[in-house]
Amino acid sequence: MKSARILPSLLVAASLFAGVAFAGDAKPANAESKEAKCCMKAAKDGKTCDHSCCTEAAAAGKNCEKCGGSGTIAKK
Ligand SMILES: [Zn+2]
Ligand SMILES: [Zn+2]
């Protein structure tokens, strides 16, 4: 059960993000946008990364921090 393991760390990440979101509410998130290597690789092949951590991060509009990404996904 992968998701059962991921959940606690997601909760921690979510609470961290909530703190950041409240602190910087007036400004857009301007953390450096960096795509995770695995996602870059997948994108080069015209695919999306199939890591569950990356998929969840992407659904939230973020790059996967677990895999080395940071910030929000740059819109094209
Ligand atoms: Zn990925
Ligand atoms: Zn990931």
Side-chain angles (χ1 to χ4, degrees):
M1 274 282 245
K2 257 190 181 173
S3 54
R5 274 202 197 165
I6 290 169
L7 199 59
S9 53
L10 273 183
L11 287 175
V12 171
S15 57
L16 282 178
F17 273 125
V20 170
F22 279 122
D25 207 19
K27 294 180 211 163
N30 57 356
E32 192 193 349
S33 178
K34 201 173 93 190
E35 205 172 359
K37 276 186 186 171
C38 54
C39 303
M40 258 190 244
K41 234 184 178 181
K44 266 189 190 171
D45 295 338
K47 297 175 211 156
T48 49
C49 186
D50 59 0
H51 291 167
S52 60
C53 51
C54 300
T55 310
E56 279 185 43
K62 299 182 183 106
N63 291 308
C64 182
E65 294 183 356
K66 265 191 189 178
C67 300
S70 65
T72 51
I73 292 173
K75 294 252 166 71
K76 282 170 197 169

